[in-house]
Every structure is written in C-alpha cells, then in structure tokens.
C-alpha cells in the first residue's frame, strides 16, 4: 500500500516560519509529481507547491518568494519550508503524489486521484 506521512504543522505568529515534511512509501513509479495541497474549508484544495520526478518545481502565486519545496536526500521525502507566513496561509496541508500530475480543485474530486496523506494543520495568527 502507498502511504504518505506528514509532519511539521503547528501554530505560529504572522511572519514566522514552519517546515513541513512528507515521506512516501510503497510508491513504485519513477515518474511522479509530489507536493502539497492546502484547504481552509475542506471544499477547495489549492495546489500550493510541487516537485516532479524530473526536478521541476511549481508554486502558486500566493507563496512565491516565501515557500521553498525540496526533495531531501532519499527521493521519497519532500519538505516545504514556509517563511514569512501570513494568516491567509492557515489551513490543513495535505501531501500528495501522483504518477500523472497534481491539480487543484474540489477536494472530494481531487482525492480520487493519486495518493494523499492525512494532513497537518497550519495556523498563522495575526
């Protein structure tokens, strides 16, 4: 079975930093996109950042210049360094991986594709 385990969420004041990590096991494809979704309402899941097996990265406009995604040592672990956090970054952050690609959209629909972790809460207070 494919499993993703997230860690690193928490509460922080605006301007602070958090680092999320995600480790995947059981995923055997050499071609993939792995990244982080977030949702404030469990209705819409926004793709925040991702990294592809070829090494290309993606950031949604709202986090460019503040968040950095990296693949750490083993290829099955990614991290998201979040600096300059804002209250609007608050939400549940889910790690996901898919052999075809990751796309934002309705959470209930997007979760039918690929594999998702259980999520980690990020709360940024003003």
């Amino acid at each position: 079975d494919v499993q993703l385990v997230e860690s690193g969420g928490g509460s922080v004041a605006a301007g602070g930093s958090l680092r999320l990590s995600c480790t995947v096991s059981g995923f055997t494809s050499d071609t993939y996109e792995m990244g982080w979704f977030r949702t404030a309402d469990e209705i819409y899941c926004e793709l925040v950042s991702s990294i592809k097996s070829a090494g290309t990265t993606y950031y949604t406009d709202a986090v460019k210049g503040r968040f950095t995604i990296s693949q750490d040592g083993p290829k099955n672990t990614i991290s998201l360094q979040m600096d300059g956090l804002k209250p609007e970054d608050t939400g549940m952050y889910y790690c996901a991986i898919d052999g075809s690609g990751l796309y934002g959209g309705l959470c209930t629909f997007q979760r039918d594709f690929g594999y998702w972790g259980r999520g980690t809460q990020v709360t940024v207070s003003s």
Side-chain angles (χ1 to χ4, degrees):
D1 289 352
V2 178
Q3 290 188 327
L4 294 96
V5 179
E6 304 111 328
S7 62
S11 297
V12 65
S17 298
L18 287 171
R19 185 177 181 89
L20 306 182
S21 292
C22 175
T23 299
V24 61
S25 60
F27 188 85
T28 58
S29 175
D30 290 331
T31 302
Y32 60 84
E33 183 171 4
M34 188 171 177
W36 295 92
F37 288 88
R38 70 182 176 190
T39 179
D41 55 13
E42 295 294 338
I43 295 175
Y44 184 82
C45 281
E46 177 186 28
L47 180 61
V48 175
S49 181
S50 69
I51 186 164
K52 294 186 176 181
S53 48
T56 55
T57 58
Y58 165 83
Y59 299 93
T60 191
D61 286 347
V63 309
K64 285 180 181 177
R66 300 189 296 122
F67 290 13
T68 304
I69 194 167
S70 61
Q71 203 155 25
D72 305 326
K75 293 290 188 179
N76 64 335
T77 299
I78 62 169
S79 295
L80 185 68
Q81 177 66 38
M82 305 186 294
D83 299 317
L85 283 162
K86 303 177 180 180
E88 51 264 43
D89 294 318
T90 293
M92 185 69 79
Y93 283 66
Y94 294 94
C95 181
I97 190 169
D98 192 281
S100 299
L102 299 177
Y103 305 94
L106 294 175
C107 296
T108 53
F109 181 75
Q110 295 305 325
R111 288 197 182 117
D112 286 342
F113 300 94
Y115 302 91
W116 289 55
R118 292 189 173 186
T120 185
Q121 178 68 34
V122 171
T123 302
V124 185
S125 58
S126 57

